[in-house]
Amino acid sequence: MKTIQGVLWDNDGVLVNTEQLFYESNRDLLLPYGIDLTPKQFFDWFLDNNYGAWHVLLGQGHDIELVERLRAERTVLFAQRLRQARQLAMPGVKQVLAALRPHVAMGVVTSAYEQHFRISHAATDLLQHFDFVLTREMYGDSKPAPDGYQLGLQRLGLAAADCVAVEDSPRGLRAANAAGMECIVVRNQMNRHHAFDDAFCVVDSNAELGEVLASFVPGMTRSQGQLEAFL
């Protein structure tokens, strides 16, 4: 049976419920240019192919200066919406982290920039469970490149075979697999239609995620008292 010593976590859509806010920030900025960004387009362009919607603007004949200005405006708008959000922690994730924390090393590998990451966790009380956080500024190429997860494994001091990643996007899954890790994908509103064929498994809730992770950790398998922490 597989056992693990470390878990590397994605952030947006896994630890915090921020992807809808990011979608809305992009959609609102693009609407004045005749681009009505749909949730499916957002998923395909941002969370799967990792090229955003800027190609549509450029295809309309707009110059790169406009793209750069809108990127800067999005940074400000998204930060404002994160600050206004009341509760961003995903339901049940705190219990999963608390139960795992005494048994495995854990880190965050996120494509979020530090500014947005810190705002999103201002009131979550989740960061106490992690040994480190790697934000977008801290590694080379973004997901689906493996750079972030490779650095995460170095920080853990563990082999890829002894760890798993937890993700919610196709590009995150590809990044984890490219770093040699098996990956568990958590379903949410944004990704419910995607198959995730290359995932180790796909779970529908953090309660289910907790049970899967517990089965990998010696001493936690099927103990009623410990599994109750996930439910």
Side-chain angles (χ1 to χ4, degrees):
M1 185 181 72
K2 180 178 178 63
T3 61
I4 61 170
Q5 300 176 50
V7 183
L8 292 175
W9 296 76
D10 180 41
N11 182 60
D12 297 284
V14 173
L15 299 177
V16 286
N17 188 16
T18 54
E19 286 180 342
Q20 181 67 26
L21 297 176
F22 189 59
Y23 160 65
E24 292 170 359
S25 298
N26 281 280
R27 181 175 181 271
D28 290 352
L29 286 172
L30 291 168
L31 270 175
Y33 300 92
I35 302 168
D36 190 356
L37 185 68
T38 68
K40 179 66 163 59
Q41 288 171 329
F42 175 78
F43 183 88
D44 291 344
W45 295 345
F46 289 79
L47 303 182
D48 190 352
N49 295 306
N50 193 33
Y51 54 64
W54 311 119
H55 65 292
V56 181
L57 279 175
L58 296 173
Q60 291 178 344
H62 296 291
D63 57 31
I64 194 66
E65 286 76 16
L66 174 65
V67 170
E68 294 305 319
R69 179 168 65 80
L70 291 177
R71 283 182 190 271
E73 290 180 12
R74 183 186 63 184
T75 295
V76 174
L77 180 59
F78 185 42
Q80 290 173 344
R81 291 182 171 177
L82 290 174
R83 290 189 184 97
Q84 292 165 356
R86 290 183 176 274
Q87 177 53 259
L88 287 175
M90 285 295 207
V93 74
K94 183 176 181 179
Q95 291 83 353
V96 175
L97 294 172
L100 285 171
R101 184 58 179 145
H103 302 277
V104 296
M106 295 195 289
V108 179
V109 178
T110 178
S111 297
Y113 287 92
E114 183 177 9
Q115 174 193 2
H116 294 144
F117 180 86
R118 295 299 172 188
I119 297 170
S120 70
H121 282 279
T124 66
D125 200 32
L126 298 181
L127 299 186
Q128 62 178 313
H129 300 296
F130 297 103
D131 298 292
F132 59 86
V133 172
L134 300 179
T135 56
R136 181 64 192 87
E137 299 93 336
M138 300 175 69
Y139 55 89
D141 291 334
S142 185
K143 302 172 184 178
D147 300 31
Y149 279 119
Q150 289 171 338
L151 181 57
L153 290 170
Q154 292 175 21
R155 289 287 189 93
L156 290 176
L158 296 170
D162 296 324
C163 302
V164 295
V166 182
E167 273 283 353
D168 76 312
S169 71
R171 68 188 185 99
L173 168 61
R174 293 198 298 274
N177 287 167
M181 281 190 296
E182 291 178 326
C183 183
I184 303 168
V185 171
V186 185
R187 286 281 185 211
N188 58 35
Q189 186 69 15
M190 284 283 181
N191 68 18
R192 65 190 185 281
H193 63 277
H194 196 79
F196 293 105
D197 292 331
D198 295 326
F200 176 80
C201 66
V202 180
V203 299
D204 291 320
S205 68
N206 278 316
E208 187 179 352
L209 173 64
E211 292 191 25
V212 171
L213 288 171
S215 72
F216 293 156
V217 179
M220 294 184 66
T221 307
R222 300 304 172 195
S223 166
Q224 182 62 37
Q226 287 161 333
L227 286 180
E228 282 176 356
F230 298 129
L231 303 177

